[in-house]
């Protein structure tokens, strides 16, 4: 029997799945990426937990970072991943590396209606699709249809220059420019970016910070804590989330103008999916549409949130399955 390995490797978490080529899932596991020195340690632990001996025919590793042929660097971790090394160390016949948003793109086609939430209905028409997703970083990709298949093109568009759209965002840009020199959208539309926005607003608005929120941020993931307190209505956390989603929506609109995804723009990543109520109430769609003379054009583009947290893993498995026959 042929066996496939799929991996979704990110700065926060790494998902692994072992399956038969028939589709039967034999083992699946989630790991905290920062707990391991490199990906090889995670894969060793996973295969030991899976038990038995499986001769893996194809592995597809979806990596949150740029891929250069047979090697890749995880953007938010000091991990270098080399396909040849994985092939030799683990005796895998074929190892494919791809950008994590390339895998998400291939996973989109397998989504059911219940895996999606429509933020803006638009007027879907034949044409490209686009993907954007904030998590540890900010991923972007676009899809074009060729014959009966979608071809996914990964990008590093999350690292384009941040462009403020109001006075508060201008002050935010000035604040970050002093710290970093170059300020990309990923500096703000990411988990660490949400924390940055929170601290900026605390000082800029001179908020009296909620002591429970401050203490919780010291003990746990700051972005998750800010989201939790925003859902409870805490003023500073709520304003931080609103500003975060406004900047997020503006960059989604920039991507839409660049790609013209008439078949839809899809929002991936854990931050949106875990904060749907805040997302729907925030200025995301207003910022998405706020493109002056191009607003009417963007009003036609459907915008949907991907609810399936394993869409990238599923896309990696699909790519591994295709590689069996190529």
């Amino acid at each position: 029997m042929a066996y496939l390995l799929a991996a979704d490797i990110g700065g926060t978490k790494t998902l692994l799945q072992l399956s038969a080529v028939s589709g039967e899932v034999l083992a699946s596991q989630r790991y905290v990426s920062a707990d391991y020195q490199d990906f090889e340690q995670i894969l060793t632990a996973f295969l030991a937990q899976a038990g038995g001996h499986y001769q893996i025919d194809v592995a597809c590793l979806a990596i949150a970072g740029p891929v250069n042929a047979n090697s890749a660097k995880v953007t938010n971790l000091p991990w270098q991943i080399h396909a040849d090394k994985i092939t030799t160390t683990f005796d895998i016949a074929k190892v494919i590396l791809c950008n994590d948003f390339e895998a998400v793109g291939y996973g989109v086609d397998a989504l059911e209606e219940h895996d999606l939430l429509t933020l803006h209905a638009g007027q879907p028409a034949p044409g490209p699709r686009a993907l954007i997703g904030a998590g540890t970083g900010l991923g972007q990709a676009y899809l074009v249809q060729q014959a009966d298949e979608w071809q996914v093109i990964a990008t590093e568009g999350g690292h384009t220059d941040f462009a403020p759209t109001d006075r508060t965002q201008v002050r935010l840009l000035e604040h970050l420019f002093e710290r970093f020199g170059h300020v990309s959208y990923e500096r703000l539309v990411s988990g660490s970016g949400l924390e940055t926005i929170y601290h900026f607003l605390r000082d800029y608005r001179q908020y009296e910070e909620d002591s429970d929120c401050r203490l919780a941020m010291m003990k746990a993931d700051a972005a998750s804590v800010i989201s939790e307190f925003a859902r409870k209505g805490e003023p500073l956390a709520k304003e931080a989330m609103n500003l975060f989603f406004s900047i997020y929506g503006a960059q989604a609109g920039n991507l839409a103008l660049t790609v013209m995804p008439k078949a839809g723009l899809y929002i991936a990543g854990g931050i949106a999916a875990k904060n749907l109520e805040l997302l729907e109430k925030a200025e995301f769609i207003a910022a998405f549409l706020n493109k002056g003379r191009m607003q009417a054009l963007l009003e036609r583009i459907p915008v949907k949130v991907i609810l399936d947290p394993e869409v990238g893993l599923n896309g990696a498995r699909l790519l591994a399955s295709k590689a069996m026959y190529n």
Side-chain angles (χ1 to χ4, degrees):
M1 181 179 290
Y3 297 102
L4 307 174
L5 176 74
D8 185 1
I9 304 167
T12 299
K13 68 181 186 299
T14 292
L15 305 178
L16 283 167
Q17 184 185 91
L18 178 69
S19 62
V21 73
S22 62
E24 178 189 3
V25 176
L26 304 170
S28 185
Q29 190 66 44
R30 179 188 190 277
Y31 298 89
V32 177
S33 300
D35 288 350
Y36 295 83
Q37 184 177 347
D38 52 36
F39 172 70
E40 286 86 345
Q41 283 192 348
I42 290 183
L43 184 51
T44 299
F46 174 72
L47 294 176
Q49 290 173 333
H53 177 73
Y54 299 96
Q55 180 61 53
I56 298 170
D57 294 88
V58 181
C60 180
L61 314 182
I63 299 159
V67 175
N68 182 15
N70 290 324
S71 65
K73 166 72 170 68
V74 182
T75 299
N76 291 296
L77 283 176
W79 289 6
Q80 293 281 349
I81 298 175
H82 301 279
D84 293 342
K85 183 179 179 182
I86 300 293
T87 298
T88 302
T89 304
F90 297 94
D91 191 25
I92 299 172
K94 181 187 285 189
V95 175
I96 303 165
L97 305 184
C98 70
N99 178 268
D100 61 333
F101 262 68
E102 182 179 354
V104 170
Y106 284 107
V108 164
D109 215 28
L111 294 174
E112 304 288 344
E113 196 60 38
H114 65 267
D115 295 319
L116 297 165
L117 172 73
T118 299
L119 276 185
H120 178 71
Q123 299 175 33
R129 290 172 171 171
L131 282 170
I132 187 168
T136 307
L138 178 63
Q140 295 185 185
Y142 63 97
L143 297 77
V144 291
Q145 197 160 21
Q146 295 187 341
D148 296 329
E149 295 185 330
W150 287 93
Q151 181 181 357
V152 185
I153 298 93
T155 79
E156 291 297 331
H159 297 281
T160 54
D161 302 335
F162 167 56
T165 59
D166 60 30
R167 291 185 183 276
T168 299
Q169 292 184 31
V170 168
R171 295 290 180 87
L172 176 58
L173 174 60
E174 291 171 345
H175 168 70
L176 293 178
F177 185 76
E178 293 299 319
R179 291 177 58 190
F180 302 113
H182 175 257
V183 184
S184 69
Y185 273 96
E186 183 170 286
R187 287 285 185 196
L188 294 163
V189 187
S190 60
S192 61
L194 176 56
E195 184 180 4
T196 295
I197 291 170
Y198 174 92
H199 287 134
F200 165 76
L201 288 173
R202 179 194 61 193
D203 299 336
Y204 179 61
R205 302 284 196 212
Q206 297 187 332
Y207 275 106
E208 185 169 341
E209 191 175 10
D210 184 284
S211 59
D212 290 337
C213 184
R214 181 176 65 249
L215 183 61
M217 287 172 65
M218 294 170 63
K219 296 180 177 180
D221 176 68
S224 298
V225 171
I226 294 166
S227 300
E228 178 187 348
F229 275 78
R231 290 191 294 270
K232 294 177 181 177
E234 196 282 318
L236 173 55
K238 189 174 180 180
E239 185 171 350
M241 288 299 299
N242 285 338
L243 180 53
F244 173 88
F245 279 130
S246 180
I247 297 171
Y248 197 168
Q251 177 61 354
N254 292 339
L255 175 60
L257 285 177
T258 303
V259 176
M260 286 307 300
K262 296 179 181 180
L265 182 138
Y266 293 80
I267 304 165
I271 296 179
K274 293 174 182 176
N275 295 282
L276 292 175
E277 185 176 352
L278 293 173
L279 173 62
E280 290 181 293
K281 290 180 179 178
E283 295 293 311
F284 184 97
I285 290 299
F288 173 80
L289 296 173
N290 186 25
K291 300 299 180 186
R293 292 173 293 175
M294 295 295 106
Q295 178 168 332
L297 197 64
L298 291 186
E299 285 175 347
R300 303 170 67 90
I301 295 175
V303 180
K304 300 184 179 184
V305 181
I306 297 172
L307 305 179
D308 183 357
E310 295 191 350
V311 60
L313 187 67
N314 295 336
R317 187 181 68 243
L318 288 170
L319 284 171
S321 180
K322 286 182 179 181
M324 280 287 298
Y325 308 103
N326 294 329

